[in-house]
Amino acid sequence: MPVAAIIPVKRFGAAKRRLAAALGAEPRAALALAMLGDVLAAVARSRGIEHVIVVTGEPAAERASREHDVDVVADPRDAGHSQAAMLGISRAVELGATAVALLPGDCPLLDPSELDAALERISEGRVGIVPDRHGTGTNALLLAPPDAIKPAFGEESRDRHERLARAARHAAAIERLDSLALDVDTPADLAALGEVLRAAPQRAPRTAAALGALAQA
């Protein structure tokens, strides 16, 4: 089953505003770029991904994506994560994908082997929902077919995605992937990520380097 990975990326000026109390605009942009680089590197090592699509209106993200030789879909409106995901799904269908993995650009700990194990569980009519570390949000969706449901990311989206799957008469499966549980939206998330990477910087070397530079600034 051909699977496309779709990674929506906000413009860095609009990204991570809840980190503003801890980081200025430029450091937030540098961190966002580093995290995206680690995600792209992890996805490139996945055996189960046939196409990689980044949806963005951010020039720096577009440049980084092209360096990894992935497909870039323009997002001129930057209308939100769910809307960007839909743009990516349309492109994935054009490329012949029969399933998609909607992945975050801010989960730099992504383990390609863990992702591959989840991809092996994809089947027609199945919606895989990857919750965040709090258990209430959604950090990733694995959809077969690609338009199985219309993504509806945001607060409390885990339950929302389950309801959407059931309404569409698809199987809803909760996929607890540790390496996709920690996204970085708040200072608490940033502290948790920093703790992980101080112990194991090789898990996300670009992000570890960016956090190290911030600590020295």
Side-chain angles (χ1 to χ4, degrees):
M1 179 177 289
V3 181
I6 299 169
I7 307 170
V9 181
K10 282 185 179 180
R11 285 184 176 86
F12 292 157
K16 307 304 172 194
R17 288 181 174 170
R18 283 186 282 174
L19 292 176
L23 296 175
E26 288 187 10
R28 292 201 309 273
L31 178 62
L33 183 60
M35 291 192 294
L36 174 61
D38 282 325
V39 170
L40 289 171
V43 171
R45 298 196 302 275
S46 167
R47 295 177 287 101
I49 297 295
E50 187 165 319
H51 305 288
V52 182
I53 301 164
V54 171
V55 183
T56 190
E58 168 57 50
E62 180 178 350
R63 289 192 297 271
S65 300
R66 296 200 186 283
E67 288 174 4
H68 283 82
D69 197 28
V70 306
D71 199 359
V72 177
V73 173
D75 182 15
R77 293 179 58 207
D78 204 15
H81 193 86
S82 298
Q83 291 81 356
M86 291 301 297
L87 292 174
I89 287 171
S90 295
R91 179 57 177 155
V93 171
E94 290 175 0
L95 293 171
T98 57
V100 295
L102 301 177
L103 302 174
D106 62 350
C107 284
L109 301 177
L110 174 60
D111 180 346
S113 62
E114 188 177 47
L115 175 61
D116 284 339
L119 295 177
E120 290 176 1
R121 294 189 286 274
I122 288 179
S123 60
E124 186 73 13
R126 185 177 189 271
V127 173
I129 303 165
V130 181
D132 62 12
R133 67 190 181 118
H134 306 292
T136 56
T138 305
N139 278 356
L141 286 172
L142 309 176
L143 306 179
D147 59 354
I149 62 170
K150 185 176 180 179
F153 291 100
E155 293 184 8
E156 309 299 326
S157 59
R158 171 187 163 171
D159 287 346
R160 189 159 57 248
H161 286 132
E162 287 189 75
R163 291 195 301 271
L164 287 168
R166 290 194 295 268
R169 299 184 182 278
H170 295 311
I174 301 302
E175 295 278 2
R176 299 187 184 280
L177 306 185
D178 288 345
S179 68
L180 279 175
L182 177 54
D183 57 330
V184 181
D185 287 325
T186 67
D189 297 332
L190 185 62
L193 179 63
E195 184 176 350
V196 172
L197 291 180
R198 280 191 294 273
Q202 73 280 1
R203 292 187 62 184
R206 296 165 183 81
T207 305
L211 291 177
L214 292 175
Q216 295 173 7

